[in-house]
Amino acid sequence: MSAPLPVVVLASGAGSNLQALIDAQQLPGYGARIVAVGTDRTGIPALTRAENAGIPTFVCALGDQPDRAAWDQAMAQHLLAALPAESGPRLVVSAGFMKILGPAALRCASVVNTHPALLPAFPGAHAVRDALAFGVRVTGCTVHLVDAGTDTGPVLAQRAVPVRPGDTEETLHERIKVVERDLLVRTLHRLATRGYTVTDRKVTIS
Ligand code: GRF
């Protein structure tokens, strides 16, 4: 069995998706190993989860940099430091990371993002609220590759979640997150163990 693929996970908040990946990487043959957890802020549960699991962390806060371009460069440096070239293809998982990565960071690595809606419907930071406000009966989650746009990259996997009468943003998001964690864990396993190609936005996992 080949060595697990090293990945960096980026998170901004509760970190339940991160925790699902931390748990999954213990499974024999999972195929991916979290070598660092990066955040854009201090004092969040995601950092505590990483520390509890003994995973190195870094904080790359926009407010610590003169501008967004400098933040992008700083993030790129963190990613390059955590993912040495000799370890194979560089893969980053954005799991509830609430910043748009810039071009320097995206040049360093392939980035997978999880989003709590069925893209291309409801991109952006308020996907669950927007889906509820629109009145959809079914929403869900999408795991996709990140490109320069906001939630516009090629889709890797999607799953539907029905909206229930009386759902609030919180109740619906919690139900989506249950499905989202499982989808993210399974998708990372497939990417790490099989590899993938992208042709005309269509992703083929080998
Ligand atoms: C997830 O639903 C993610 O898609 C969204 O924010 C949530 C993060 O949850 N961007 P957690 O921090 O992983 O618990």
Side-chain angles (χ1 to χ4, degrees):
M1 202 185 300
S2 50
L5 185 70
V7 298
V8 170
V9 178
L10 302 177
S12 292
S16 70
N17 281 283
L18 165 65
Q19 187 65 53
L21 295 172
I22 290 172
D23 296 344
Q25 69 174 354
Q26 317 291 337
L27 301 172
Y30 183 67
R33 182 173 62 91
I34 305 170
V35 293
V37 170
T39 73
D40 60 332
R41 58 198 75 184
T42 55
I44 55 172
L47 278 173
T48 312
R49 291 181 192 271
E51 285 156 12
N52 289 344
I55 299 169
T57 61
F58 63 85
V59 178
C60 188
L62 191 51
D64 292 343
Q65 301 294 334
D67 54 29
R68 203 149 185 122
W71 176 77
D72 179 29
Q73 291 293 343
M75 179 60 83
Q77 291 310 313
H78 281 295
L79 298 180
L80 291 174
L83 295 167
E86 59 272 20
S87 305
R90 292 193 170 100
L91 190 64
V92 172
V93 178
S94 162
F97 186 64
M98 300 308 285
K99 292 267 185 310
I100 304 293
L101 290 170
L106 292 179
R107 271 194 300 274
C108 296
S110 300
V111 183
V112 171
N113 182 49
T114 177
H115 181 76
L118 292 174
L119 292 170
F122 311 117
H126 305 293
V128 181
R129 187 187 309 170
D130 294 345
L132 264 184
F134 194 88
V136 295
R137 303 300 177 95
V138 175
T139 183
C141 51
T142 304
V143 178
H144 66 97
L145 293 169
V146 174
D147 64 11
T150 301
D151 302 323
T152 52
V155 170
L156 291 161
Q158 292 185 301
R159 252 191 236 162
V161 175
V163 178
R164 291 185 187 153
D167 256 339
T168 63
E169 184 178 356
E170 289 69 33
T171 61
L172 179 56
H173 199 172
E174 279 312 310
R175 273 204 332 286
I176 292 171
K177 282 175 68 169
V178 172
V179 176
E180 188 180 18
R181 289 190 284 266
D182 184 61
L183 190 67
L184 181 62
V185 162
R186 287 172 189 272
T187 305
L188 180 60
H189 168 65
R190 293 172 65 214
L191 291 178
T193 54
R194 302 192 205 168
Y196 66 94
T197 55
V198 186
T199 310
D200 296 335
R201 290 190 59 87
K202 314 291 184 309
V203 181
T204 305
I205 298 181
S206 318

